[in-house]
Amino acid sequence: IEHGIYVGKNVTLRGATGNRDDVVIGPNPKTSGTTNYRVITASGNGAVIADLTIINGYVSSDANNVMKAYGGGVLLSSYATITNCHITSCIAFRSATAAGISVSNSYMYDTLVDKCKKTYSDPSTAYNNRGYIVLVTGASVVDRCQIVDNTAESVIAGGNQPFGGALAIQNTSGATSIVRNCLIARNAVLAGKDSRDYYYATGLSIRGGICENCTIVSNRSDVAGKFMVL
């Protein structure tokens, strides 16, 4: 991965004090371009990220490797775990997705995702955009997390994928992801555009999977008649 950290099977990356605000990792801020700066990629059973602030991650759809277009701050796969972290100020540009984190067959606990942004300068073309800030797929568990104060701007929801301005759960082939005990609040879809008869959620969208005991409140959209503010 370009300009990032890879955490493999049975490896733990942890802040020294246990306070996630004490250790901050990430590149200098980036707002456009094709070079990716995802902060952390973790893959494999026993791969653990803990007690960190993760900042300024960036992914663009122009990357040669499609997996680089997922997860601006963090990409989790193959039963990796993130716990007690703060993911902030990360970006997904053009048709890249999951500006904050992509969770695939993995585990996310006690993590705050805020001030992340999905952006595209020209919303005239439809893409299969899904979870603009957090995307949960496979047999994943997301528990006791906060997804707040994030923004999707100048975007168009496309294809037949579920759209969630803040979070989307996508399950196929019998897998079941669970999102529980989470707060999804104050997220916004701004300057969106869609001329078709589809409706998309600004807060949470589910295609398969389970959402239980969550608070979903005060999410908003400025696209009249096209987005469900949930």
Side-chain angles (χ1 to χ4, degrees), residues 2-85:
E2 300 171 359
H3 306 282
I5 297 169
Y6 176 78
V7 179
K9 183 177 180 180
N10 296 325
V11 174
T12 297
L13 176 65
R14 173 174 286 135
T17 66
N19 184 338
R20 67 188 182 193
D21 297 324
D22 288 345
V23 178
V24 180
I25 57 174
N28 293 325
K30 180 177 170 65
T31 59
S32 65
T34 61
T35 302
N36 289 276
Y37 293 81
R38 184 190 303 128
V39 183
I40 298 174
T41 302
S43 181
N45 194 6
V48 178
I49 306 164
D51 312 329
L52 298 169
T53 289
I54 298 159
I55 192 170
N56 295 337
Y58 174 90
V59 282
S60 169
S61 60
D62 289 343
N64 292 326
N65 184 338
V66 67
M67 289 305 294
K68 292 183 180 180
Y70 287 76
V74 178
L75 174 65
L76 297 183
S77 63
S78 302
Y79 307 103
T81 298
I82 187 169
T83 182
N84 190 37
C85 287

Side-chain angles (χ1 to χ4, degrees), residues 184-187 216-220 229:
I184 303 168
R186 302 186 304 276
N187 302 288
I216 306 169
V217 63
S218 300
N219 301 289
R220 66 188 181 92
V229 181

Side-chain angles (χ1 to χ4, degrees), residues 134-195:
V134 177
L135 175 63
V136 181
T137 61
S140 296
V141 176
V142 176
D143 195 0
R144 305 183 306 277
C145 294
Q146 299 176 64
I147 303 164
V148 299
D149 300 314
N150 301 288
T151 304
E153 67 176 27
S154 299
V155 298
I156 181 169
N160 60 0
Q161 305 293 346
F163 169 91
L167 183 148
I169 306 172
Q170 167 84 27
N171 280 151
T172 58
S173 303
T176 301
S177 290
I178 300 174
V179 175
R180 62 193 180 203
N181 305 319
C182 293
L183 173 65
I184 303 168
R186 302 186 304 276
N187 302 288
V189 174
L190 305 176
K193 179 180 179 181
D194 198 333
S195 61

